[in-house]
Amino acid sequence: MPVNLLLCEGGPNSPDVRLLGKLLAGQCEVRPMGGKQGMGDRIKARRENLGNTVYGMLDGDFLTDWEMPRGKPHSWTINENNRTIHLGWRWERKEVENYLIDPEVVHRALGSASPPEDEYKDALDQTRDEIAIYQAARTALSACRRRFSPLPSAFGPKRGREKHPFPDKLDEPACRAGIDQTVQEYADAHVSTPEHAIGRFSAYTQEFQSGADRRNYFLYAFAGKDLLWAMNERLQQWGFAGAWAFRERVLKGVLRASEDIANWLPEWKALLEEIKTA
């Protein structure tokens, strides 16, 4: 049975709802619901009134256990009363920005206004290497978060108009200090100790080393917002007003596209087919 209503994270003008609205235009209504907490309950409540045509779309987030990309969204299910309930999907990549910085999407969305293709790919690779250890730290904090715990996975000064946390230093000692401080600040909200979180960090750093899968597939495993912010100065050198302005330019290019954007990325095509046949 096709999906009639898809709930997603973010606000009324968020990149999530705008991208999904374009991708799924004519297939279903896309409605933003803010944070992900309680999304499952909201889906079930609406199903009582509207039937089993209501689903949700969540960010991929940091994977506790790495899975190789398959080019399609992950199924979101829960077990309840000895039965499996399909609530919707999770993006295969960390968050919506991971798609908006993809070289293929940037090229198609911006056309002649795109950064030089080879230079842009090189900048992404350099940024990947610069923030890899910090991504291991964020993954460790995410893995230590108890369900419904407020423990954040990011730390550092808040940057730009979106107040995105991002540290001044990205090396291993700085990340250890950031983990320690974050866990101690939220000590009453979770069960992890700084030692446990730093132990997870040490293990994850191996998965983010050069040649390891998480680094090789950084457009899936890394936070897109971190990659964007870390490229802020490079983007300005190409004439963009900064990271968030670049994201907006790309998103507007996606929304203006006259072609079917489902054909731009395999996962977008796969999600569209899932929506049609859920």
Side-chain angles (χ1 to χ4, degrees):
M1 184 179 297
V3 176
N4 287 337
L5 174 62
L6 184 74
L7 307 182
C8 71
E9 297 184 55
N13 199 41
S14 67
D16 304 72
V17 70
R18 294 161 71 193
L19 174 61
L20 285 167
K22 172 69 174 182
L23 177 63
L24 306 177
Q27 299 298 324
C28 67
E29 177 188 357
V30 180
R31 189 180 302 172
M33 297 299 292
K36 70 179 64 180
Q37 285 196 11
M39 179 83 80
D41 291 335
R42 283 175 279 183
I43 291 170
K44 289 187 289 182
R46 282 165 174 77
R47 284 181 177 180
E48 292 181 5
N49 296 321
L50 302 173
N52 292 328
T53 60
V54 182
Y55 290 81
M57 190 77 194
L58 299 178
D59 284 348
D61 290 333
F62 295 107
L63 294 177
T64 302
D65 299 309
W66 174 248
E67 299 177 24
M68 292 294 286
R70 300 172 298 167
K72 60 182 182 179
H74 293 173
S75 182
W76 172 27
T77 62
I78 61 170
N79 293 315
E80 193 173 86
N81 299 324
N82 295 318
R83 65 191 182 102
T84 299
I85 301 175
H86 179 216
L87 293 178
W89 301 269
R90 293 178 180 273
W91 286 120
E92 188 171 44
R93 304 187 189 189
K94 166 68 176 68
E95 55 199 8
V96 71
E97 284 80 6
N98 291 62
Y99 302 92
L100 297 176
I101 62 174
D102 187 294
E104 180 69 14
V105 173
V106 170
H107 174 71
R108 288 176 176 266
L110 298 183
S112 61
S114 302
E117 184 175 0
D118 290 343
E119 291 182 25
Y120 181 72
K121 289 180 178 179
D122 286 345
L124 272 177
D125 288 346
Q126 292 170 22
T127 303
R128 169 202 63 194
D129 295 342
E130 290 167 4
I131 72 170
I133 297 302
Y134 177 52
Q135 299 306 292
R138 291 201 61 187
T139 303
L141 284 168
S142 180
C144 290
R145 183 188 297 126
R146 189 171 58 183
R147 190 180 184 192
F148 304 130
S149 165
L151 179 68
S153 68
F155 50 86
K158 295 181 178 180
R159 314 286 186 167
R161 69 170 186 262
E162 297 201 356
K163 308 300 182 185
H164 179 64
F166 195 81
D168 293 317
K169 295 183 178 180
L170 299 163
D171 58 17
E172 189 166 336
C175 286
R176 286 176 177 269
I179 292 171
D180 183 89
Q181 181 178 350
T182 301
V183 174
Q184 291 198 50
E185 286 179 359
Y186 288 81
D188 295 336
H190 56 86
V191 296
S192 291
T193 64
E195 291 76 18
H196 173 69
I198 289 173
R200 296 296 295 265
F201 168 59
S202 296
Y204 278 127
T205 55
Q206 303 306 309
E207 298 183 30
F208 285 86
Q209 295 293 331
S210 179
D213 284 341
R214 293 204 197 230
R215 191 181 290 206
N216 288 342
Y217 293 95
F218 70 100
L219 283 178
Y220 295 81
F222 287 33
K225 290 185 181 68
D226 289 338
L227 287 161
L228 251 180
W229 179 257
M231 287 201 300
N232 187 59
E233 292 185 5
R234 294 182 177 96
L235 292 169
Q236 290 175 341
Q237 292 170 4
W238 283 316
F240 298 95
W244 312 126
F246 176 75
R247 182 187 66 183
E248 183 65 16
R249 285 276 299 276
V250 173
L251 183 55
K252 285 182 176 178
V254 172
L255 300 181
R256 286 194 300 264
S258 58
E259 59 187 301
D260 185 356
I261 67 166
N263 295 318
W264 291 11
L265 294 175
E267 186 180 351
W268 289 3
K269 184 72 170 181
L271 176 61
L272 180 60
E273 294 305 315
E274 295 263 7
I275 292 293
K276 291 179 180 178
T277 60

